[in-house]
PDB file of all heavy atoms in Angstrom:
ATOM      1  N   GLU X 163     -30.893  -8.157   0.901  1.00 96.00           N
ATOM      2  CA  GLU X 163     -31.007  -7.355  -0.343  1.00 96.00           C
ATOM      3  C   GLU X 163     -30.178  -5.978  -0.146  1.00 96.00           C
ATOM      4  O   GLU X 163     -29.948  -5.384  -1.219  1.00 96.00           O
ATOM      5  CB  GLU X 163     -32.482  -7.002  -0.687  1.00 96.00           C
ATOM      6  CG  GLU X 163     -33.293  -6.413   0.463  1.00 96.00           C
ATOM      7  CD  GLU X 163     -34.062  -7.425   1.242  1.00 96.00           C
ATOM      8  OE1 GLU X 163     -33.586  -8.682   1.276  1.00 96.00           O
ATOM      9  OE2 GLU X 163     -35.052  -7.051   1.859  1.00 96.00           O
ATOM     10  N   GLU X 164     -29.810  -5.595   1.057  1.00 97.00           N
ATOM     11  CA  GLU X 164     -29.018  -4.437   1.168  1.00 97.00           C
ATOM     12  C   GLU X 164     -27.558  -4.666   0.815  1.00 97.00           C
ATOM     13  O   GLU X 164     -26.833  -3.674   0.568  1.00 97.00           O
ATOM     14  CB  GLU X 164     -29.098  -3.930   2.641  1.00 97.00           C
ATOM     15  CG  GLU X 164     -30.470  -3.429   3.088  1.00 97.00           C
ATOM     16  CD  GLU X 164     -30.415  -2.880   4.470  1.00 97.00           C
ATOM     17  OE1 GLU X 164     -29.322  -2.745   5.065  1.00 97.00           O
ATOM     18  OE2 GLU X 164     -31.505  -2.588   5.065  1.00 97.00           O
ATOM     19  N   PHE X 165     -27.109  -5.945   0.713  1.00 98.00           N
ATOM     20  CA  PHE X 165     -25.709  -6.230   0.512  1.00 98.00           C
ATOM     21  C   PHE X 165     -25.421  -7.104  -0.608  1.00 98.00           C
ATOM     22  O   PHE X 165     -24.326  -7.053  -1.186  1.00 98.00           O
ATOM     23  CB  PHE X 165     -25.208  -6.867   1.814  1.00 98.00           C
ATOM     24  CG  PHE X 165     -25.453  -6.126   3.036  1.00 98.00           C
ATOM     25  CD1 PHE X 165     -26.380  -6.617   3.921  1.00 98.00           C
ATOM     26  CD2 PHE X 165     -24.795  -4.883   3.305  1.00 98.00           C
ATOM     27  CE1 PHE X 165     -26.718  -5.914   5.137  1.00 98.00           C
ATOM     28  CE2 PHE X 165     -25.079  -4.208   4.485  1.00 98.00           C
ATOM     29  CZ  PHE X 165     -26.049  -4.713   5.362  1.00 98.00           C
ATOM     30  N   VAL X 166     -26.368  -7.933  -1.125  1.00 97.00           N
ATOM     31  CA  VAL X 166     -26.126  -8.915  -2.224  1.00 97.00           C
ATOM     32  C   VAL X 166     -26.512  -8.258  -3.546  1.00 97.00           C
ATOM     33  O   VAL X 166     -27.664  -7.844  -3.694  1.00 97.00           O
ATOM     34  CB  VAL X 166     -26.831 -10.177  -1.920  1.00 97.00           C
ATOM     35  CG1 VAL X 166     -26.603 -11.195  -3.140  1.00 97.00           C
ATOM     36  CG2 VAL X 166     -26.371 -10.863  -0.613  1.00 97.00           C
ATOM     37  N   GLN X 167     -25.601  -8.238  -4.486  1.00 96.00           N
ATOM     38  CA  GLN X 167     -25.892  -7.731  -5.795  1.00 96.00           C
ATOM     39  C   GLN X 167     -25.993  -8.949  -6.815  1.00 96.00           C
ATOM     40  O   GLN X 167     -25.038  -9.710  -6.944  1.00 96.00           O
ATOM     41  CB  GLN X 167     -24.828  -6.783  -6.279  1.00 96.00           C
ATOM     42  CG  GLN X 167     -24.690  -5.570  -5.452  1.00 96.00           C
ATOM     43  CD  GLN X 167     -23.608  -4.618  -5.891  1.00 96.00           C
ATOM     44  OE1 GLN X 167     -22.980  -4.833  -6.948  1.00 96.00           O
ATOM     45  NE2 GLN X 167     -23.345  -3.523  -5.100  1.00 96.00           N
ATOM     46  N   HIS X 168     -27.126  -9.047  -7.473  1.00 95.00           N
ATOM     47  CA  HIS X 168     -27.359 -10.059  -8.455  1.00 95.00           C
ATOM     48  C   HIS X 168     -26.444  -9.799  -9.702  1.00 95.00           C
ATOM     49  O   HIS X 168     -26.457  -8.688 -10.258  1.00 95.00           O
ATOM     50  CB  HIS X 168     -28.797 -10.168  -8.808  1.00 95.00           C
ATOM     51  CG  HIS X 168     -29.130 -11.255  -9.821  1.00 95.00           C
ATOM     52  ND1 HIS X 168     -28.867 -12.589  -9.589  1.00 95.00           N
ATOM     53  CD2 HIS X 168     -29.608 -11.187 -11.056  1.00 95.00           C
ATOM     54  CE1 HIS X 168     -29.232 -13.322 -10.626  1.00 95.00           C
ATOM     55  NE2 HIS X 168     -29.732 -12.478 -11.547  1.00 95.00           N
ATOM     56  N   LYS X 169     -25.772 -10.844 -10.267  1.00 92.00           N
ATOM     57  CA  LYS X 169     -24.979 -10.689 -11.421  1.00 92.00           C
ATOM     58  C   LYS X 169     -25.475 -11.372 -12.669  1.00 92.00           C
ATOM     59  O   LYS X 169     -24.737 -11.908 -13.449  1.00 92.00           O
ATOM     60  CB  LYS X 169     -23.541 -11.186 -11.089  1.00 92.00           C
ATOM     61  CG  LYS X 169     -22.783 -10.305 -10.036  1.00 92.00           C
ATOM     62  CD  LYS X 169     -22.628  -8.936 -10.585  1.00 92.00           C
ATOM     63  CE  LYS X 169     -21.897  -8.085  -9.521  1.00 92.00           C
ATOM     64  NZ  LYS X 169     -21.726  -6.625 -10.122  1.00 92.00           N
ATOM     65  N   ASP X 170     -26.877 -11.389 -12.808  1.00 92.00           N
ATOM     66  CA  ASP X 170     -27.484 -11.733 -14.046  1.00 92.00           C
ATOM     67  C   ASP X 170     -27.511 -13.247 -14.346  1.00 92.00           C
ATOM     68  O   ASP X 170     -27.952 -13.560 -15.478  1.00 92.00           O
ATOM     69  CB  ASP X 170     -26.912 -10.884 -15.259  1.00 92.00           C
ATOM     70  CG  ASP X 170     -27.045  -9.443 -14.991  1.00 92.00           C
ATOM     71  OD1 ASP X 170     -28.015  -8.970 -14.426  1.00 92.00           O
ATOM     72  OD2 ASP X 170     -26.065  -8.674 -15.284  1.00 92.00           O
ATOM     73  N   HIS X 171     -26.930 -14.038 -13.596  1.00 94.00           N
ATOM     74  CA  HIS X 171     -26.877 -15.492 -13.916  1.00 94.00           C
ATOM     75  C   HIS X 171     -27.183 -16.384 -12.690  1.00 94.00           C
ATOM     76  O   HIS X 171     -26.939 -15.903 -11.565  1.00 94.00           O
ATOM     77  CB  HIS X 171     -25.404 -15.849 -14.462  1.00 94.00           C
ATOM     78  CG  HIS X 171     -25.080 -15.260 -15.730  1.00 94.00           C
ATOM     79  ND1 HIS X 171     -24.641 -13.859 -15.794  1.00 94.00           N
ATOM     80  CD2 HIS X 171     -24.982 -15.700 -16.926  1.00 94.00           C
ATOM     81  CE1 HIS X 171     -24.400 -13.630 -17.072  1.00 94.00           C
ATOM     82  NE2 HIS X 171     -24.543 -14.730 -17.801  1.00 94.00           N
ATOM     83  N   TYR X 172     -27.599 -17.522 -12.962  1.00 96.00           N
ATOM     84  CA  TYR X 172     -27.720 -18.621 -11.983  1.00 96.00           C
ATOM     85  C   TYR X 172     -26.959 -19.867 -12.434  1.00 96.00           C
ATOM     86  O   TYR X 172     -26.706 -20.017 -13.558  1.00 96.00           O
ATOM     87  CB  TYR X 172     -29.199 -19.047 -11.785  1.00 96.00           C
ATOM     88  CG  TYR X 172     -30.020 -17.921 -11.108  1.00 96.00           C
ATOM     89  CD1 TYR X 172     -30.654 -16.880 -11.768  1.00 96.00           C
ATOM     90  CD2 TYR X 172     -30.171 -17.944  -9.660  1.00 96.00           C
ATOM     91  CE1 TYR X 172     -31.255 -15.925 -11.154  1.00 96.00           C
ATOM     92  CE2 TYR X 172     -30.826 -17.002  -9.074  1.00 96.00           C
ATOM     93  CZ  TYR X 172     -31.462 -15.924  -9.759  1.00 96.00           C
ATOM     94  OH  TYR X 172     -32.106 -14.975  -9.146  1.00 96.00           O
ATOM     95  N   PHE X 173     -26.506 -20.633 -11.462  1.00 95.00           N
ATOM     96  CA  PHE X 173     -25.657 -21.799 -11.825  1.00 95.00           C
ATOM     97  C   PHE X 173     -26.047 -23.002 -10.903  1.00 95.00           C
ATOM     98  O   PHE X 173     -26.656 -22.838  -9.894  1.00 95.00           O
ATOM     99  CB  PHE X 173     -24.151 -21.561 -11.525  1.00 95.00           C
ATOM    100  CG  PHE X 173     -23.766 -21.339 -10.121  1.00 95.00           C
ATOM    101  CD1 PHE X 173     -23.136 -22.466  -9.487  1.00 95.00           C
ATOM    102  CD2 PHE X 173     -23.978 -20.229  -9.483  1.00 95.00           C
ATOM    103  CE1 PHE X 173     -22.741 -22.271  -8.209  1.00 95.00           C
ATOM    104  CE2 PHE X 173     -23.545 -20.080  -8.098  1.00 95.00           C
ATOM    105  CZ  PHE X 173     -22.960 -21.151  -7.469  1.00 95.00           C
ATOM    106  N   ALA X 174     -25.830 -24.143 -11.430  1.00 96.00           N
ATOM    107  CA  ALA X 174     -26.066 -25.425 -10.628  1.00 96.00           C
ATOM    108  C   ALA X 174     -24.951 -26.378 -11.016  1.00 96.00           C
ATOM    109  O   ALA X 174     -24.385 -26.378 -12.046  1.00 96.00           O
ATOM    110  CB  ALA X 174     -27.384 -25.965 -11.059  1.00 96.00           C
ATOM    111  N   PHE X 175     -24.609 -27.245 -10.034  1.00 93.00           N
ATOM    112  CA  PHE X 175     -23.808 -28.412 -10.297  1.00 93.00           C
ATOM    113  C   PHE X 175     -24.218 -29.572  -9.460  1.00 93.00           C
ATOM    114  O   PHE X 175     -24.779 -29.411  -8.452  1.00 93.00           O
ATOM    115  CB  PHE X 175     -22.294 -28.068 -10.067  1.00 93.00           C
ATOM    116  CG  PHE X 175     -21.925 -27.622  -8.678  1.00 93.00           C
ATOM    117  CD1 PHE X 175     -21.609 -28.560  -7.709  1.00 93.00           C
ATOM    118  CD2 PHE X 175     -21.860 -26.283  -8.324  1.00 93.00           C
ATOM    119  CE1 PHE X 175     -21.309 -28.238  -6.387  1.00 93.00           C
ATOM    120  CE2 PHE X 175     -21.446 -25.904  -7.019  1.00 93.00           C
ATOM    121  CZ  PHE X 175     -21.197 -26.911  -6.099  1.00 93.00           C
TER     122      PHE X 175
END
Side-chain angles (χ1 to χ4, degrees):
E163 53 268 26
E164 292 184 10
F165 309 107
V166 178
Q167 297 180 6
H168 180 60
K169 292 298 179 181
D170 304 320
H171 294 76
Y172 288 87
F173 72 100
F175 62 83

